[in-house]
Amino acid sequence: MSATVGLILRVIFLAFLYGFLGLSIWMLWRSVVSTQVHKGNLAIPVLTLSSTMGAEPTTQTFAGTEVLIGRSLDCDFILEDATVSSRHARLFYNLNQWWFEDLKSTNGSYLDGIRVEEPIVVKDNDEFYCGDAIFSISIKPVEQEERRK
């Protein structure tokens, strides 16, 4: 009699366990699907970089998801300075935030006076240094009318 009860309890326990696992997988799948659907509705905020190096300040606006900074011609923001590496740093948009990353440059990069060793989140009005070049960041959200276009 007790062997039969033990077997029935084991079967009920396994049924609940498989039900729980199935429900967990289904909820995770729904979360992933809904995230992918809503991703298309978010507009990337416009990033404006102002560099004060030399006599004239340089300002450029970017609407993409990545901005490369350096001396190389394949960079998006090109600086002609010996203290700046050919591919010095990059800004990239990930997880609804702009991030700043030093690309193992010779002279390093600094964000608000702190040396950047790994990618770090940047916000509006932050300042960072690439070699002797000083940058200020302006991040502006895209207006509702522009999102609909």
Side-chain angles (χ1 to χ4, degrees):
M1 179 73 131
S2 70
T4 308
V5 172
L7 180 63
I8 291 171
L9 288 176
R10 285 181 186 162
V11 169
I12 291 172
F13 175 74
L14 283 174
F16 277 120
L17 181 62
Y18 284 122
F20 175 75
L21 289 173
L23 180 64
S24 299
I25 291 171
W26 179 76
M27 289 176 69
L28 285 171
W29 178 76
R30 295 275 299 169
S31 173
V32 168
V33 168
S34 69
T35 302
Q36 289 176 351
V37 169
H38 294 297
K39 234 182 204 179
N41 294 337
L42 296 176
I44 299 171
V46 176
L47 179 74
T48 303
L49 293 178
S50 299
S51 172
T52 54
M53 185 175 163
E56 295 182 24
T58 306
T59 302
Q60 289 184 15
T61 302
F62 303 95
T65 59
E66 183 177 84
V67 178
L68 287 173
I69 300 168
R71 287 184 320 199
S72 176
L73 295 178
D74 66 339
C75 290
D76 302 307
F77 200 106
I78 300 171
L79 295 169
E80 295 178 16
D81 181 29
T83 63
V84 176
S85 297
S86 61
R87 291 175 51 101
H88 196 99
R90 79 176 181 131
L91 289 147
F92 61 97
Y93 191 74
N94 188 25
L95 301 172
N96 298 329
Q97 296 176 323
W98 278 101
W99 295 73
F100 178 74
E101 176 183 29
D102 183 72
L103 299 176
K104 302 194 184 342
S105 61
T106 305
N107 293 321
S109 299
Y110 296 84
L111 178 66
D112 292 331
I114 300 169
R115 187 174 179 112
V116 177
E117 300 289 335
E118 57 187 36
I120 187 169
V121 175
V122 293
K123 60 187 184 322
D124 193 30
N125 296 324
D126 273 348
E127 280 191 356
F128 67 91
Y129 296 81
C130 290
D132 289 339
I134 303 170
F135 290 87
S136 64
I137 300 171
S138 175
I139 301 172
K140 301 294 180 209
V142 177
E143 300 297 325
Q144 282 294 85
E145 298 83 35
E146 292 179 25
R147 288 184 192 176
R148 292 183 188 143
K149 292 180 182 178

